[in-house]
Amino acid sequence: MSADFTGAVVLITGAARGQGRSHALAFAERGATVIALDACADIATVPYPLATSDDLAQTAHLIERAGGMCRTVRADVRNGDALRAAVTGILAEHGRLDVCVANAGIAGFGPVCELTDAQWATMLDVNLTGVFHTLRAAAPPMKEAGSGRIITIASMGGRAGTPNLGHYAAAKWGVIGLTKTLALELAGSGVTANVVCPGTVDTPMVHNPAMYGLFAPDIEDPTREDVAPRYRRLNPMAEAWTAPEDVTAAVLYLASPAARHVSGITLEIGAGVSARMQ
Ligand code: NAP
């Protein structure tokens, strides 16, 4: 994707690692100034380590090494005031906000009837309310400027039910409803709002002992090689996982001038799973 983002200011949440880092690098390589936001802290109900301050610094380092511009912000998307402050800071420093990618998210597992109140509440708080906080802060200045691109990251898990991911699926379905509503509310303002739904992506969210144990409960200490064939079976294209850059390509498209008439869609990067859905 060769769109030029020179001069654009891009806010990306959850940018310390994984897909968020990939999006951040791609925008910066294309000339944008990237504001990389991340909480850099573990969350009690999340059964794998989350990103660290070093991870966020590494995102900035990679961008600067590529000749790009990056500012890091440490903030938790569960804190609405922190997101407002982040956007206020961006406007004060750069005078504009062109693209917002609401990417921060967590995973967790358990059958619906066994989820604890804390698992449910935390999942909804981060994966749905966190997106709400991000959009509520980012959309008004874009509307006032008469241009902007909002991209939320849901999941193929937000397009169907998935055993053991009821709370995750509920939050991601919610992100789709929230984004489509915002797309309508912003229609005609010059601001678009769209959703990207990745399938399984090769990031730390997927590659950790808790997730491996879910996919291979019959194997003691399963490895990446053990779980790959089981992931592969999940989709028609028989790919175990896609690269973060595959999701980035979709994000760049939705942020590009080519997508100026595209708003309210869910763009699925599901390795063929979309063909099984209505
Ligand atoms: P990841 O490597 O775990 O990255 C997620 C990032 O979000 C981490 O840096 C994490 O670090 C940050 N984050 C989590 N909670 C946060 C909070 N409350 N405030 C601010 N930042 C927070 O996973 P990923 O695969 O890149 O995930 C990116 C997005 O894609 C998520 O929304 C995820 O649900 C979605 N997705 C992933 C997959 C997949 O297979 N990997 C599939 C479909 C959709 P900290 O908590 O330390 O800040």
Side-chain angles (χ1 to χ4, degrees), residues 26-52:
F27 276 109
E29 285 168 356
R30 288 160 179 77
T33 296
V34 171
I35 316 303
L37 183 147
D38 206 287
C40 306
D42 283 343
I43 295 176
T45 57
V46 177
Y48 56 91
L50 287 164
T52 63

PDB file of all heavy atoms in Angstrom, residues 26-52:
ATOM      1  N   ALA A  26       4.269   1.456   9.880  1.00  0.00           N
ATOM      2  CA  ALA A  26       3.832   1.670   8.485  1.00  0.00           C
ATOM      3  C   ALA A  26       3.435   3.124   8.243  1.00  0.00           C
ATOM      4  O   ALA A  26       3.802   3.709   7.216  1.00  0.00           O
ATOM      5  CB  ALA A  26       2.668   0.737   8.159  1.00  0.00           C
ATOM      6  N   PHE A  27       2.698   3.709   9.178  1.00  0.00           N
ATOM      7  CA  PHE A  27       2.312   5.122   8.999  1.00  0.00           C
ATOM      8  C   PHE A  27       3.555   6.014   9.030  1.00  0.00           C
ATOM      9  O   PHE A  27       3.690   6.938   8.235  1.00  0.00           O
ATOM     10  CB  PHE A  27       1.318   5.549  10.077  1.00  0.00           C
ATOM     11  CG  PHE A  27      -0.110   5.202   9.779  1.00  0.00           C
ATOM     12  CD1 PHE A  27      -0.775   4.213  10.488  1.00  0.00           C
ATOM     13  CD2 PHE A  27      -0.814   5.874   8.768  1.00  0.00           C
ATOM     14  CE1 PHE A  27      -2.097   3.894  10.212  1.00  0.00           C
ATOM     15  CE2 PHE A  27      -2.140   5.561   8.489  1.00  0.00           C
ATOM     16  CZ  PHE A  27      -2.774   4.563   9.205  1.00  0.00           C
ATOM     17  N   ALA A  28       4.462   5.726   9.973  1.00  0.00           N
ATOM     18  CA  ALA A  28       5.658   6.566  10.098  1.00  0.00           C
ATOM     19  C   ALA A  28       6.527   6.464   8.853  1.00  0.00           C
ATOM     20  O   ALA A  28       7.070   7.461   8.377  1.00  0.00           O
ATOM     21  CB  ALA A  28       6.444   6.157  11.342  1.00  0.00           C
ATOM     22  N   GLU A  29       6.645   5.243   8.323  1.00  0.00           N
ATOM     23  CA  GLU A  29       7.453   5.064   7.100  1.00  0.00           C
ATOM     24  C   GLU A  29       6.864   5.822   5.919  1.00  0.00           C
ATOM     25  O   GLU A  29       7.553   6.103   4.953  1.00  0.00           O
ATOM     26  CB  GLU A  29       7.548   3.568   6.761  1.00  0.00           C
ATOM     27  CG  GLU A  29       8.501   2.814   7.665  1.00  0.00           C
ATOM     28  CD  GLU A  29       8.378   1.292   7.534  1.00  0.00           C
ATOM     29  OE1 GLU A  29       7.488   0.812   6.793  1.00  0.00           O
ATOM     30  OE2 GLU A  29       9.150   0.591   8.186  1.00  0.00           O
ATOM     31  N   ARG A  30       5.576   6.121   6.007  1.00  0.00           N
ATOM     32  CA  ARG A  30       4.911   6.849   4.922  1.00  0.00           C
ATOM     33  C   ARG A  30       4.775   8.341   5.238  1.00  0.00           C
ATOM     34  O   ARG A  30       3.950   9.031   4.653  1.00  0.00           O
ATOM     35  CB  ARG A  30       3.561   6.205   4.628  1.00  0.00           C
ATOM     36  CG  ARG A  30       3.724   4.855   3.926  1.00  0.00           C
ATOM     37  CD  ARG A  30       2.502   3.975   4.055  1.00  0.00           C
ATOM     38  NE  ARG A  30       2.692   2.705   3.363  1.00  0.00           N
ATOM     39  CZ  ARG A  30       3.419   1.680   3.820  1.00  0.00           C
ATOM     40  NH1 ARG A  30       4.031   1.772   4.995  1.00  0.00           N
ATOM     41  NH2 ARG A  30       3.550   0.573   3.115  1.00  0.00           N
ATOM     42  N   GLY A  31       5.508   8.813   6.234  1.00  0.00           N
ATOM     43  CA  GLY A  31       5.605  10.254   6.462  1.00  0.00           C
ATOM     44  C   GLY A  31       4.797  10.808   7.609  1.00  0.00           C
ATOM     45  O   GLY A  31       4.881  12.008   7.900  1.00  0.00           O
ATOM     46  N   ALA A  32       3.998   9.973   8.270  1.00  0.00           N
ATOM     47  CA  ALA A  32       3.152  10.489   9.354  1.00  0.00           C
ATOM     48  C   ALA A  32       3.948  10.683  10.644  1.00  0.00           C
ATOM     49  O   ALA A  32       4.975  10.035  10.863  1.00  0.00           O
ATOM     50  CB  ALA A  32       2.004   9.517   9.623  1.00  0.00           C
ATOM     51  N   THR A  33       3.447  11.551  11.492  1.00  0.00           N
ATOM     52  CA  THR A  33       3.892  11.605  12.887  1.00  0.00           C
ATOM     53  C   THR A  33       2.965  10.682  13.669  1.00  0.00           C
ATOM     54  O   THR A  33       1.740  10.834  13.607  1.00  0.00           O
ATOM     55  CB  THR A  33       3.787  13.033  13.447  1.00  0.00           C
ATOM     56  OG1 THR A  33       4.686  13.864  12.718  1.00  0.00           O
ATOM     57  CG2 THR A  33       4.138  13.073  14.924  1.00  0.00           C
ATOM     58  N   VAL A  34       3.544   9.739  14.384  1.00  0.00           N
ATOM     59  CA  VAL A  34       2.741   8.738  15.091  1.00  0.00           C
ATOM     60  C   VAL A  34       2.747   9.010  16.589  1.00  0.00           C
ATOM     61  O   VAL A  34       3.807   9.215  17.184  1.00  0.00           O
ATOM     62  CB  VAL A  34       3.267   7.318  14.806  1.00  0.00           C
ATOM     63  CG1 VAL A  34       2.582   6.288  15.693  1.00  0.00           C
ATOM     64  CG2 VAL A  34       3.072   6.963  13.344  1.00  0.00           C
ATOM     65  N   ILE A  35       1.561   9.010  17.164  1.00  0.00           N
ATOM     66  CA  ILE A  35       1.432   9.057  18.617  1.00  0.00           C
ATOM     67  C   ILE A  35       1.102   7.627  19.042  1.00  0.00           C
ATOM     68  O   ILE A  35       0.000   7.123  18.773  1.00  0.00           O
ATOM     69  CB  ILE A  35       0.308  10.019  19.080  1.00  0.00           C
ATOM     70  CG1 ILE A  35       0.340  11.342  18.301  1.00  0.00           C
ATOM     71  CG2 ILE A  35       0.358  10.204  20.588  1.00  0.00           C
ATOM     72  CD1 ILE A  35       1.628  12.116  18.362  1.00  0.00           C
ATOM     73  N   ALA A  36       2.079   6.982  19.663  1.00  0.00           N
ATOM     74  CA  ALA A  36       1.943   5.573  20.049  1.00  0.00           C
ATOM     75  C   ALA A  36       1.526   5.491  21.513  1.00  0.00           C
ATOM     76  O   ALA A  36       2.311   5.817  22.402  1.00  0.00           O
ATOM     77  CB  ALA A  36       3.269   4.851  19.821  1.00  0.00           C
ATOM     78  N   LEU A  37       0.297   5.086  21.752  1.00  0.00           N
ATOM     79  CA  LEU A  37      -0.257   5.069  23.121  1.00  0.00           C
ATOM     80  C   LEU A  37      -0.359   3.628  23.618  1.00  0.00           C
ATOM     81  O   LEU A  37      -0.813   2.750  22.882  1.00  0.00           O
ATOM     82  CB  LEU A  37      -1.617   5.750  23.106  1.00  0.00           C
ATOM     83  CG  LEU A  37      -2.354   5.917  24.447  1.00  0.00           C
ATOM     84  CD1 LEU A  37      -3.184   7.206  24.439  1.00  0.00           C
ATOM     85  CD2 LEU A  37      -3.255   4.729  24.750  1.00  0.00           C
ATOM     86  N   ASP A  38       0.009   3.417  24.846  1.00  0.00           N
ATOM     87  CA  ASP A  38      -0.107   2.072  25.426  1.00  0.00           C
ATOM     88  C   ASP A  38      -0.090   2.193  26.945  1.00  0.00           C
ATOM     89  O   ASP A  38       0.531   3.099  27.502  1.00  0.00           O
ATOM     90  CB  ASP A  38       1.053   1.187  24.970  1.00  0.00           C
ATOM     91  CG  ASP A  38       0.699  -0.287  24.972  1.00  0.00           C
ATOM     92  OD1 ASP A  38       0.593  -0.862  26.069  1.00  0.00           O
ATOM     93  OD2 ASP A  38       0.520  -0.860  23.879  1.00  0.00           O
ATOM     94  N   ALA A  39      -0.769   1.254  27.610  1.00  0.00           N
ATOM     95  CA  ALA A  39      -0.789   1.278  29.083  1.00  0.00           C
ATOM     96  C   ALA A  39       0.497   0.712  29.673  1.00  0.00           C
ATOM     97  O   ALA A  39       0.889   1.081  30.786  1.00  0.00           O
ATOM     98  CB  ALA A  39      -1.985   0.496  29.601  1.00  0.00           C
ATOM     99  N   CYS A  40       1.124  -0.203  28.945  1.00  0.00           N
ATOM    100  CA  CYS A  40       2.393  -0.806  29.419  1.00  0.00           C
ATOM    101  C   CYS A  40       2.238  -1.384  30.824  1.00  0.00           C
ATOM    102  O   CYS A  40       3.046  -1.110  31.717  1.00  0.00           O
ATOM    103  CB  CYS A  40       3.522   0.215  29.415  1.00  0.00           C
ATOM    104  SG  CYS A  40       3.772   1.041  27.859  1.00  0.00           S
ATOM    105  N   ALA A  41       1.214  -2.165  31.032  1.00  0.00           N
ATOM    106  CA  ALA A  41       1.013  -2.769  32.360  1.00  0.00           C
ATOM    107  C   ALA A  41       0.199  -4.050  32.211  1.00  0.00           C
ATOM    108  O   ALA A  41      -0.673  -4.132  31.333  1.00  0.00           O
ATOM    109  CB  ALA A  41       0.272  -1.790  33.268  1.00  0.00           C
ATOM    110  N   ASP A  42       0.500  -5.007  33.048  1.00  0.00           N
ATOM    111  CA  ASP A  42      -0.295  -6.235  33.040  1.00  0.00           C
ATOM    112  C   ASP A  42      -1.669  -5.976  33.655  1.00  0.00           C
ATOM    113  O   ASP A  42      -1.860  -5.010  34.400  1.00  0.00           O
ATOM    114  CB  ASP A  42       0.434  -7.332  33.823  1.00  0.00           C
ATOM    115  CG  ASP A  42       1.576  -7.936  33.015  1.00  0.00           C
ATOM    116  OD1 ASP A  42       1.595  -7.754  31.786  1.00  0.00           O
ATOM    117  OD2 ASP A  42       2.451  -8.576  33.626  1.00  0.00           O
ATOM    118  N   ILE A  43      -2.620  -6.846  33.330  1.00  0.00           N
ATOM    119  CA  ILE A  43      -3.986  -6.752  33.869  1.00  0.00           C
ATOM    120  C   ILE A  43      -4.298  -8.094  34.528  1.00  0.00           C
ATOM    121  O   ILE A  43      -4.061  -9.160  33.919  1.00  0.00           O
ATOM    122  CB  ILE A  43      -4.994  -6.433  32.744  1.00  0.00           C
ATOM    123  CG1 ILE A  43      -4.702  -5.036  32.158  1.00  0.00           C
ATOM    124  CG2 ILE A  43      -6.434  -6.536  33.238  1.00  0.00           C
ATOM    125  CD1 ILE A  43      -5.568  -4.639  30.959  1.00  0.00           C
ATOM    126  N   ALA A  44      -4.815  -8.047  35.753  1.00  0.00           N
ATOM    127  CA  ALA A  44      -4.938  -9.258  36.581  1.00  0.00           C
ATOM    128  C   ALA A  44      -5.678 -10.402  35.886  1.00  0.00           C
ATOM    129  O   ALA A  44      -5.287 -11.562  36.014  1.00  0.00           O
ATOM    130  CB  ALA A  44      -5.617  -8.903  37.894  1.00  0.00           C
ATOM    131  N   THR A  45      -6.740 -10.111  35.147  1.00  0.00           N
ATOM    132  CA  THR A  45      -7.534 -11.198  34.572  1.00  0.00           C
ATOM    133  C   THR A  45      -7.005 -11.680  33.222  1.00  0.00           C
ATOM    134  O   THR A  45      -7.593 -12.581  32.626  1.00  0.00           O
ATOM    135  CB  THR A  45      -9.001 -10.744  34.379  1.00  0.00           C
ATOM    136  OG1 THR A  45      -9.000  -9.568  33.549  1.00  0.00           O
ATOM    137  CG2 THR A  45      -9.688 -10.461  35.687  1.00  0.00           C
ATOM    138  N   VAL A  46      -5.954 -11.072  32.717  1.00  0.00           N
ATOM    139  CA  VAL A  46      -5.412 -11.470  31.404  1.00  0.00           C
ATOM    140  C   VAL A  46      -4.336 -12.536  31.626  1.00  0.00           C
ATOM    141  O   VAL A  46      -3.352 -12.280  32.322  1.00  0.00           O
ATOM    142  CB  VAL A  46      -4.833 -10.245  30.657  1.00  0.00           C
ATOM    143  CG1 VAL A  46      -4.205 -10.676  29.336  1.00  0.00           C
ATOM    144  CG2 VAL A  46      -5.935  -9.221  30.416  1.00  0.00           C
ATOM    145  N   PRO A  47      -4.529 -13.721  31.038  1.00  0.00           N
ATOM    146  CA  PRO A  47      -3.652 -14.851  31.386  1.00  0.00           C
ATOM    147  C   PRO A  47      -2.343 -14.914  30.603  1.00  0.00           C
ATOM    148  O   PRO A  47      -1.825 -15.990  30.372  1.00  0.00           O
ATOM    149  CB  PRO A  47      -4.540 -16.053  31.047  1.00  0.00           C
ATOM    150  CG  PRO A  47      -5.368 -15.585  29.902  1.00  0.00           C
ATOM    151  CD  PRO A  47      -5.621 -14.119  30.152  1.00  0.00           C
ATOM    152  N   TYR A  48      -1.829 -13.781  30.160  1.00  0.00           N
ATOM    153  CA  TYR A  48      -0.520 -13.738  29.479  1.00  0.00           C
ATOM    154  C   TYR A  48       0.053 -12.347  29.713  1.00  0.00           C
ATOM    155  O   TYR A  48      -0.688 -11.396  29.981  1.00  0.00           O
ATOM    156  CB  TYR A  48      -0.685 -14.027  27.970  1.00  0.00           C
ATOM    157  CG  TYR A  48      -1.635 -13.107  27.265  1.00  0.00           C
ATOM    158  CD1 TYR A  48      -1.185 -11.922  26.667  1.00  0.00           C
ATOM    159  CD2 TYR A  48      -3.002 -13.374  27.211  1.00  0.00           C
ATOM    160  CE1 TYR A  48      -2.067 -11.052  26.032  1.00  0.00           C
ATOM    161  CE2 TYR A  48      -3.883 -12.521  26.583  1.00  0.00           C
ATOM    162  CZ  TYR A  48      -3.411 -11.365  25.992  1.00  0.00           C
ATOM    163  OH  TYR A  48      -4.277 -10.503  25.378  1.00  0.00           O
ATOM    164  N   PRO A  49       1.368 -12.206  29.627  1.00  0.00           N
ATOM    165  CA  PRO A  49       1.968 -10.898  29.914  1.00  0.00           C
ATOM    166  C   PRO A  49       1.599  -9.879  28.856  1.00  0.00           C
ATOM    167  O   PRO A  49       1.619 -10.193  27.661  1.00  0.00           O
ATOM    168  CB  PRO A  49       3.475 -11.168  29.890  1.00  0.00           C
ATOM    169  CG  PRO A  49       3.646 -12.639  29.767  1.00  0.00           C
ATOM    170  CD  PRO A  49       2.368 -13.229  29.303  1.00  0.00           C
ATOM    171  N   LEU A  50       1.276  -8.680  29.286  1.00  0.00           N
ATOM    172  CA  LEU A  50       0.979  -7.591  28.343  1.00  0.00           C
ATOM    173  C   LEU A  50       2.263  -6.820  28.057  1.00  0.00           C
ATOM    174  O   LEU A  50       3.354  -7.233  28.440  1.00  0.00           O
ATOM    175  CB  LEU A  50      -0.147  -6.723  28.904  1.00  0.00           C
ATOM    176  CG  LEU A  50      -1.516  -7.446  28.818  1.00  0.00           C
ATOM    177  CD1 LEU A  50      -2.556  -6.793  29.700  1.00  0.00           C
ATOM    178  CD2 LEU A  50      -2.013  -7.515  27.381  1.00  0.00           C
ATOM    179  N   ALA A  51       2.138  -5.722  27.349  1.00  0.00           N
ATOM    180  CA  ALA A  51       3.339  -5.008  26.905  1.00  0.00           C
ATOM    181  C   ALA A  51       3.979  -4.242  28.061  1.00  0.00           C
ATOM    182  O   ALA A  51       3.341  -3.980  29.083  1.00  0.00           O
ATOM    183  CB  ALA A  51       2.975  -4.060  25.770  1.00  0.00           C
ATOM    184  N   THR A  52       5.230  -3.856  27.858  1.00  0.00           N
ATOM    185  CA  THR A  52       5.991  -3.128  28.878  1.00  0.00           C
ATOM    186  C   THR A  52       6.423  -1.766  28.326  1.00  0.00           C
ATOM    187  O   THR A  52       6.310  -1.506  27.122  1.00  0.00           O
ATOM    188  CB  THR A  52       7.262  -3.908  29.246  1.00  0.00           C
ATOM    189  OG1 THR A  52       8.083  -3.990  28.072  1.00  0.00           O
ATOM    190  CG2 THR A  52       6.944  -5.316  29.736  1.00  0.00           C
TER     191      THR A  52
END
